[in-house]
Amino acid sequence: MSDKPKSESSTRRTFLRNGARVAAMTGLGALGGVLVNRSQAESWVWQIDPQKCLRCGNCATKCVLEQSAVKCVHAFAMCGYCNLCTGYFEPEPNALSTAAENQLCPTGAIKRTFVEDPYYEYKIDEKLCIGCAKCVEGCNRFGNGSLFLQIRHDRCVHCNECAIARTCPGDAFRRVPAKQPYLLKTTHAH
Amino acid sequence: MPTQSEKKKWEKGDKEYGTSNVGAPFHLFTFSLFRVSHALIVLLFLAWLPAFAEPRFPPPDFTETNHQIPTTTTPSARAEWLQYLDVAVLGAGLVVALWCIYKQRSRRGLFWLGIFSLAYFGFWRKGCVCAIGAPQNVILGLFDANYTVPLSVIAFFALPLIVALFAGRAFCAGVCPHGALQDLLLIKPVKVPAWLEHALGVLPFIFLGFGLSFAATGTGFPICRYDPIVPIFRLSGPGLLISLAILTLVLSLFVGRPYCRFLCPYGALLKLASLASKWRVRVTPDVCTQCQLCENSCPFGAMREPSAGNVEPKQLTSERRRFGWLLVLVPLLIAGGAWIGSALAVPVSKMNPTIELAERYINQQKSPANYGPMTPEALSLQRAEHDSEALLKSATDLRHRFWLSCVIFGGWVGLVLGVKLASLSLRTKRTDFEPDRGACFGCARCFRSCPQELVRIGRMPAGDLPQSPVAAAAKT
C-alpha cells in the first residue's frame, strides 16, 4: 500500500484515527493513573459481619452456587457445650437425643458428641450445611452465640458483585482483605 | 450471668424458652414488641447490654476429661500472587492472539487459544476475573472513594483496550472465554439481515451505559448480574439466568457470537477503540485480485464489500443533506433521552437496595404490610426502624445521584441512537473486500477463503489463481 500515492481522504482518515488513538491513550493513561494511585495491590473478598447478620436465611438461597458458599461455623471457645443446645434442638424437642425430628438443622449437618457430663460438643459438617442460619438464630437468641455464618473461601467463587450481599437485609456483607478473609467471633471481651 | 442452678434448670428442658423464665434479654427479640416505641427499645437494649458482655452459659474447662477445645477452621482465600498469574495469562493470551492473527494468520492457533482461555478464565476461574465487568469496577472506583479497584482488575480493563487501540479486537479473538465458547459452538452460521444487525448493534452501547450508570451510584454491577454466559462456567445460577444461558448457547449454534455482537458492553468499548486502531486485519496476505471468494466467509457480518464506483452527484447531495439533518437530530435525541431519563429516575432508583428499603419503610408507616417473622423483608424493616434517620438521609443522597446518572444515561442512549442513524448515511471508499475495523473479532476465518493466502501457505499452486472479474472485464 505504501508505494501507492495516498488519496486526500485516506490521509485525513489516518490523521483522525491517529488523533483519536492518542486521545484515547491519554484518557486511559489518566484514568489508570488516578485509579492506580488509589488502588492497593491486595485483593478483596466478600465476608459476612456476624455482628450485623440477622439470620434471615437468604444465604442458603441467593448464592450463585448450587450449594451456597456460606456455611455455619462454630467458635468452639465461646460455646457453652450445653446439653440443651438451642442451636441444635427444635424449640420443643421430644427428647434431647440426636433423633432427626428433634434437630433444628434441616440437613442434619450438626454433629453432637458427648464430651463429659453434662457437656456436648457440636461440630458442623460443611458438606451438609446449606447456610440457612436456623441454628445460628437458635444459638444467638438463647445461647452464647457461638454459631455464626461465614463465607467459606474454599467454596466462594468471588463474584464481582456478591448475589447474597445485594439482598442482605442486615447489610452485613462487605469486602475484606484477602489476607484476613474471615470476620470470626471470638471469646467474650472480659 | 446465669448461675449453675439456673443453667441446670434450663438444660432440664424448659419447654417455653424465649417466653418465660429465661430472663428479660430475650424479650427484645420477640415479635410482639417490634412496634413498641423507640424509647422502650432503647431502654430494653440498655438493660440487655450487661448480659451481652458475658456468655449466658460459661464455657466449661473440662477438668474430668481434659478435652481439647477445637479451633474454628479458616480455609484461606485465593493466594495473592494468583491474581498476578491471571494478569500474566491475559497478557500472554493477547500476545499469542496477535501472533496468530498477524504473523501466523492461523485460525487453528486461535481455536486452541480459545479452548485454553475457555478452560482457564471460564471453567477454572469461573468467569471472575473478567474484562467485561471491569468497566463497572473502574467507574465505581472513580466515584466512590471508599472502593479501591484491585490492580488486577485495572489491568483486565486496560490491557485489551490498549491492544485494540493498536491492533483491533485480539482479546475477542481468542482470550475472552465468553467469545471462545460461542465461537466454538458456531456450526451453521446464518446471515443476520443488515437492518437487524444495525438495530441490535446499538444494544451493547446502551447496556454499557446502563451498567456504568448503575455502578457509579453504587447500586451494583448489572453487567455481571445479567451475564448470560457465566452460569455455564459455574454450572449453576438463578433459574432465569440459566434459561437465558441455554438460549444464548442454542442461538450461538446458528448466529455467530450473539452475545459479543448484540450485548457485550466491553465489546462496545473495544469496537470504539479498534476504530482508531493503527493496524488492521486484511483478508489477503498481499494483493487483492477482487475474486470475491471471501464475500461470505465472515459469520459475524463484519465483511464489507467494495464501494460501488462513482456516485451520481445528485444522489450524493441528497445524502449529504440527509446526513446534515441527522446531525441536527443528534442533540435533540440527547435532550429527549435525558428528559426521559430524568422522568424515569424515581421508579428506576428503587433498584437500589437502600432506596428500596427507605421506600418500604415509609410505606410501612402509612399502611403496615404484614411480613412473616424472620423473613428478610421484616428483618430489613427492623433495621430501618433502628436507624431510620440515617437510612432516609442516605436514600435521599442516593436519589440525587440516581437522578444525575439517569439523565446522563438517557442522554447517552440518545447519543448512541443519533450517531448510529447518522453513521448509516456515511460512505466509505473501499476498493477491496475488507473486514470492518470495529466489527472484526479477528477470528481469522476469512484468511483461508483467499486464494492468495492458499498460495502463500502452499495449498494451491500459484498458476491456479482465479482470474479476477475486474481484470477479466478489463481484458475484454
Side-chain angles (χ1 to χ4, degrees), chain A residues 137-174:
Chain A
E137 172 63 9
C139 178
N140 276 268
R141 195 183 279 196
F142 307 116
N144 283 358
S146 58
L147 294 175
F148 58 102
L149 292 184
Q150 285 286 282
I151 294 172
R152 303 303 270 173
H153 290 297
D154 47 346
R155 296 167 186 274
C156 179
V157 290
H158 311 299
C159 293
N160 206 359
E161 178 190 37
C162 175
I164 320 173
R166 202 167 68 234
T167 59
C168 177
D171 197 20
F173 282 69
R174 65 167 193 252

Side-chain angles (χ1 to χ4, degrees), chain B residues 177-188:
Chain B
H178 290 58
L181 181 62
Q182 296 169 80
D183 210 319
L184 294 175
L185 285 173
L186 181 60
I187 47 166
K188 184 111 187 70

Side-chain angles (χ1 to χ4, degrees), chain B residues 391-469:
Chain B
L391 174 77
L392 293 179
K393 195 185 167 301
S394 65
T396 319
D397 288 349
L398 265 173
R399 187 157 268 175
H400 285 302
R401 282 172 70 181
F402 239 97
W403 181 84
L404 188 63
S405 75
C406 274
V407 167
I408 294 176
F409 173 55
W412 168 253
V413 173
L415 177 72
V416 168
L417 294 179
V419 169
K420 181 75 211 181
L421 277 178
S423 73
L424 289 178
S425 303
L426 279 180
R427 280 179 176 275
T428 314
K429 242 185 225 164
R430 227 180 272 109
T431 49
D432 308 336
F433 276 93
E434 276 172 8
D436 183 84
R437 270 175 194 271
C440 175
F441 294 115
C443 72
R445 277 191 178 84
C446 54
F447 297 159
R448 286 288 171 93
S449 67
C450 180
Q452 301 275 8
E453 172 78 2
L454 292 179
V455 170
R456 185 186 73 90
I457 57 176
R459 286 281 183 90
M460 201 172 86
D464 287 1
L465 273 181
Q467 276 276 315
S468 85

